[in-house]
Amino acid sequence: MSQSDAPARERVKQALRTQRIETPSWAYANSGTRFKVFPQEGVPRDPYEKIADAAVVHRLTGAAPTVALHIPWDRVDDYADLAKHATDLGMGLGAINSNVFQDPDYMLGSVTNPDPRVRRKATDHLLECVDIMDATGSRDLKLWFSDGTNYPGQDDIRARQDRLATALREVYDRLGPNQRILLEYKLFEPAFYTTDVPDWGTAYAHCLELGPKAQVVIDTGHHAPGTNIEFIVAFLLRVGKLGGFDFNSRFYADDDLMVGSADPFQLFRIMYEIVRGDALRPEAGIAFMLDQCHNIEPKIPAIIRSVLNVQEATAKALLVDAGALAAAQQAGDVLGANAALMDAYNSDVRPLLAELRADLGLDPDPMAAYARSGYFERIRAERAGGQQAGWGA
Ligand code: PSV
Ligand code: MN
């Protein structure tokens, strides 16, 4: 886009101003693989410190005003107090993520476990998460189930679907008028034979049965290699069943790398479908969340980088000349239509985003601003003792 195309620049900047990206509390904590968790200096010791780090990301990007919690990793005595802490820092609390995958009772499943006692315990945890949402003012309950089996014959595939439906119904009926279930699917891991919610079709069918307050969430790392994720986005948006994203990127499986790092073109194609479906506006109700682990890179700048990557992909998607694209599609001009998308993808939107930040009174380069801020040096000194947060705490 040329400098002289002022109306287009303004239109893109205006749309970007409204975009909100939610960062995950656990991305500020230590994480790793099953081989090793490498602790890093300055990592938060509790949810209060995680929110403080998220506030830094928001202060520098202007685009990440909420932070998602994961229960019990972020369990506190007083959630209203935690919400007040967030407000005091200019932040809000976002989605509440349930965790029914780390208790020893869940070895054979949580809500689909053959043992009714375990199913009751898992469902009670989900209901507790709704109680927490009441205290934090959160809109979204994100449900991911690691439930599944490892061996053919291990359990009855169909009965497990019935158990899942029963638990989902109980939780759905407990939701307040402005609360939603976001049901997340994942092809495999930790279950290696069947997974009870393995794909978007299964999630969609359950959400349809539940009602309008249940929607599908797409974690971009949860598909078979080669899956066309933007098709899923277009399909679910069209039928009003897309609730949001867990953004991250992957080379192989659920790698949880920084969004936009492995395949920026895929992220652009996803964001194009969002723009095409007029779903960027916050009122459209799509939660743009990150779900990442920063195992070897410093966490706060990695999260800033991720927010910038989403913004860059979005800016490119907004640059697509809709009129030229529609005309080419209508005329059956395959190359022309493809060029309309590629021209936008190949634009350098970084100057435009720098200009937008300057308009908003932000530093045009949030990465450099963070490096200069002295925040890391401060938390490294202040958080020297205590127990660092991680997947288990
Ligand atoms: C599962 O792989 C998942 O994507 C779910 O969203 C979990 O809540 C999250 O990762 C834990 O990091
Ligand atoms: Mn996820």
Side-chain angles (χ1 to χ4, degrees):
M1 184 178 46
S2 71
Q3 275 302 117
S4 59
D5 198 355
R9 293 179 83 81
E10 276 316 308
R11 179 183 56 79
V12 172
K13 284 200 289 182
Q14 191 48 39
L16 286 167
R17 267 192 198 104
T18 66
Q19 188 177 32
R20 299 283 168 265
I21 299 157
E22 181 161 308
T23 72
S25 70
W26 54 101
Y28 299 92
N30 281 326
S31 61
T33 66
R34 68 180 187 271
F35 300 102
K36 175 68 181 168
V37 173
F38 296 103
Q40 294 187 17
E41 290 179 310
V43 159
R45 280 89 44 96
D46 58 37
Y48 287 81
E49 291 181 348
K50 293 178 191 174
I51 293 169
D53 289 359
V56 171
V57 173
H58 180 47
R59 188 163 53 72
L60 293 169
T61 63
T66 56
V67 56
L69 301 182
H70 215 295
I71 309 297
W73 297 339
D74 294 318
R75 188 161 270 153
V76 290
D77 292 337
D78 185 345
Y79 289 97
D81 183 64
L82 191 67
K84 183 177 176 310
H85 169 70
T87 310
D88 290 346
L89 291 170
M91 298 291 291
L93 298 179
I96 300 299
N97 288 252
S98 59
N99 183 328
V100 281
F101 50 88
Q102 287 189 308
D103 188 287
D105 272 344
Y106 301 141
M107 187 170 77
L108 299 181
S110 64
V111 294
T112 68
N113 195 296
D115 181 345
R117 182 192 65 81
V118 178
R119 296 205 294 274
R120 186 67 258 153
K121 173 174 166 167
T123 308
D124 283 344
H125 170 72
L126 306 184
L127 296 172
E128 181 205 347
C129 287
V130 186
D131 293 341
I132 293 171
M133 291 163 71
D134 290 341
T136 56
S138 299
R139 177 190 58 180
D140 294 336
L141 172 65
K142 178 132 58 75
L143 302 178
W144 173 68
F145 299 104
S146 60
D147 297 44
T149 65
N150 274 6
Y151 294 99
Q154 180 191 318
D155 196 9
D156 189 88
I157 293 172
R158 182 171 164 156
R160 291 176 78 94
Q161 286 300 312
D162 293 339
R163 296 171 200 149
L164 173 66
T166 302
L168 287 174
R169 170 56 57 197
E170 191 175 339
V171 179
Y172 185 90
D173 288 345
R174 161 69 183 85
L175 293 175
N178 298 317
Q179 294 174 337
R180 311 188 294 182
I181 281 179
L182 299 184
L183 183 56
E184 184 172 353
Y185 58 90
K186 179 175 178 177
L187 178 61
F188 81 102
E189 197 207 19
F192 292 124
Y193 169 54
T194 60
T195 293
D196 294 320
V197 190
D199 52 30
W200 71 269
T202 309
Y204 173 63
H206 279 285
C207 287
L208 211 53
E209 195 176 312
L210 287 170
K213 290 189 285 183
Q215 298 196 301
V216 180
V217 62
I218 299 176
D219 185 312
T220 46
H222 287 187
H223 308 85
T227 299
N228 184 330
I229 299 177
E230 60 270 27
F231 173 83
I232 303 170
V233 174
F235 184 97
L236 291 176
L237 265 182
R238 179 177 172 275
V239 294
K241 276 293 182 191
L242 181 63
F245 292 92
D246 266 4
F247 278 136
N248 51 63
S249 56
R250 51 78 79 79
F251 287 99
Y252 301 105
D254 190 19
D255 306 351
D256 281 338
L257 299 172
M258 292 183 295
V259 58
S261 61
D263 189 348
F265 184 40
Q266 179 188 63
L267 183 58
F268 161 78
R269 299 190 313 259
I270 290 171
M271 292 314 302
Y272 171 70
E273 290 306 328
I274 290 292
V275 171
R276 164 71 182 82
D278 194 22
L280 198 58
R281 303 165 294 119
E283 315 82 68
I286 308 297
F288 299 99
M289 302 172 282
L290 307 181
D291 179 10
Q292 308 182 158
C293 294
H294 307 293
N295 301 346
I296 60 167
E297 67 274 34
K299 294 158 199 304
I300 296 173
I303 297 166
I304 295 172
R305 173 85 271 158
S306 305
V307 171
L308 306 190
N309 287 351
V310 175
Q311 287 185 308
E312 285 174 21
T314 308
K316 291 178 181 202
L318 287 162
L319 279 180
V320 172
D321 183 337
L325 178 62
Q329 289 173 342
Q330 198 54 45
D333 178 1
V334 175
L335 293 178
N338 180 240
L341 276 187
M342 297 312 293
D343 282 348
Y345 176 64
N346 287 317
S347 312
D348 184 359
V349 293
R350 290 172 298 181
L352 177 76
L353 282 162
E355 196 179 295
L356 169 67
R357 290 184 194 112
D359 292 351
L360 295 171
L362 302 169
D363 192 296
D365 183 349
M367 293 295 284
Y370 177 73
R372 274 197 320 270
S373 70
Y375 186 75
F376 175 65
E377 290 71 18
R378 203 177 86 201
I379 56 175
R380 180 168 55 185
E382 284 177 5
R383 299 175 183 171
Q387 171 78 39
Q388 292 189 320
W391 283 349

